């Protein structure tokens, strides 16, 4: 089950984990992973049930507490989500994921200043997800009535200074054919090729490309797929599943 989760095969993961729990109903790690699988499948009620089962026996399980909060957030139960996320932070004040999630749910409730503080704390913890957390912080700054345009610009500039390290390598020139008459390949990457605000405008962008001149490649980091994902896959000339891959 855990292996299927890492391969983003959530249906098979749920089946395997359910089998493991049938042998041992108190197998907390399997229950937590089952909750993750249900969450990724959009099954919030089942995820919440799995996490609650763990917390009934072990109320100080920080990951179960955090995951329960995330599931509440997905279900738009914001007050309950905030309670669980704050409990997770009491258990582990350095939990960057929890700080970030707290920022997200505070932003959803229009507490912009508090949201920025939480997201900044998440971004300042040195984790592999720091660029994502700082990106959320930069995004949330756009909603702040207290920040000037210059301050918002500085935040976005800081992101580039901290996380953009890629430089052209003169020893590895592009090997593409330099034919001005050939189709131009255009690639887009997103974790949100699904029912999300990105798709509200992006589907029109894909449709507007002249396919006689452009080849459209979509690199999908989307883990929670739905009918919009299927539609965007059909609209692309080439679809690449990039979830779980390194740079």
């Amino acid at each position: 089950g855990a292996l299927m989760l890492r391969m983003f095969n959530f249906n098979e993961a749920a089946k395997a984990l359910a089998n493991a729990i049938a042998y041992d109903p108190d197998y907390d790690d399997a229950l937590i992973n089952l909750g993750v699988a249900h969450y990724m499948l959009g099954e919030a009620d089942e995820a919440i049930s799995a996490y609650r089962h763990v917390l009934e026996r072990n109320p100080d399980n920080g990951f179960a507490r955090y995951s329960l909060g995330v599931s509440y957030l997905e279900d738009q139960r914001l007050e309950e989500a905030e309670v669980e996320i704050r409990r997770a932070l009491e258990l582990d004040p350095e939990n960057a994921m929890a700080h970030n999630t707290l920022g997200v749910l505070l932003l959803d409730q229009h507490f912009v200043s508090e949201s920025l503080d939480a997201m900044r704390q998440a971004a300042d913890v040195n984790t592999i997800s720091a660029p994502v957390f700082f990106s959320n912080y930069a995004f949330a700054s756009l909603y702040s009535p207290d920040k000037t345009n210059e301050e918002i610009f500085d935040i976005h500039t800081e992101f580039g200074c901290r996380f953009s390290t890629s430089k052209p390598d003169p020893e590895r020139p592009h090997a593409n054919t330099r034919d001005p008459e050939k189709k131009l390949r255009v690639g887009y990457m997103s974790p949100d090729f699904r029912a999300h605000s990105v798709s509200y405008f992006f589907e029109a962008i894909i449709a507007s490309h002249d396919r006689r001149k452009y080849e459209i490649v979509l690199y999908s980091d989307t883990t929670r797929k739905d009918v919009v994902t299927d539609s965007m896959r059909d609209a692309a000339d080439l679809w690449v599943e990039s979830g779980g891959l390194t740079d």
Side-chain angles (χ1 to χ4, degrees), residues 165-174:
T165 58
S166 178
K167 296 181 179 179
D169 185 351
E171 301 301 321
R172 297 179 61 187
H174 293 297

Side-chain angles (χ1 to χ4, degrees), residues 11-183:
N11 281 303
E12 292 302 315
K15 292 177 185 177
L17 292 163
N19 288 335
I21 294 163
Y23 285 106
D24 182 0
D26 295 333
Y27 189 0
D28 283 354
D29 287 348
L31 276 164
I32 291 172
N33 283 337
L34 180 62
V36 173
H38 282 306
Y39 172 82
M40 299 306 294
L41 290 167
E43 299 165 351
D45 288 343
E46 290 84 350
I48 289 168
S49 176
Y51 299 136
R52 281 178 171 171
H53 194 158
V54 174
L55 292 168
E56 285 171 3
R57 292 193 307 276
N58 183 5
D60 291 337
N61 188 309
F63 188 72
R65 186 70 67 185
Y66 164 76
S67 300
L68 178 59
V70 171
S71 295
Y72 280 142
L73 175 59
E74 179 67 20
D75 214 27
Q76 288 299 296
R77 295 161 63 173
L78 300 183
E79 291 183 4
E80 292 168 281
E82 184 173 349
V83 168
E84 299 302 333
I85 295 301
R86 290 192 183 278
R87 286 179 181 171
L89 284 168
E90 289 173 4
L91 292 167
D92 180 7
E94 295 298 311
N95 186 333
M97 293 189 301
H99 281 296
N100 179 71
T101 302
L102 179 62
V104 170
L105 67 88
L106 288 171
L107 187 63
D108 283 351
Q109 297 175 84
H110 309 291
F111 299 125
V112 180
S113 179
E114 295 90 338
S115 170
L116 287 171
D117 290 341
M119 289 179 176
R120 182 72 202 214
Q121 282 186 270
D124 286 344
V125 178
N126 187 24
T127 69
I128 194 172
S129 297
V132 175
F133 299 153
F134 199 103
S135 177
N136 289 343
Y137 169 65
F139 170 75
S141 73
L142 299 171
Y143 291 91
S144 174
D146 302 321
K147 293 198 177 294
T148 65
N149 289 339
E150 290 76 14
E151 289 173 322
I152 293 171
F153 180 80
D154 288 343
I155 289 171
H156 286 74
T157 300
E158 183 182 351
F159 177 92
C161 292
R162 284 183 60 177
F163 303 114
S164 179
T165 58
S166 178
K167 296 181 179 179
D169 185 351
E171 301 301 321
R172 297 179 61 187
H174 293 297
N176 59 299
T177 302
R178 300 189 178 189
D179 179 1
E181 301 301 322
K182 73 170 187 174
K183 278 188 177 182

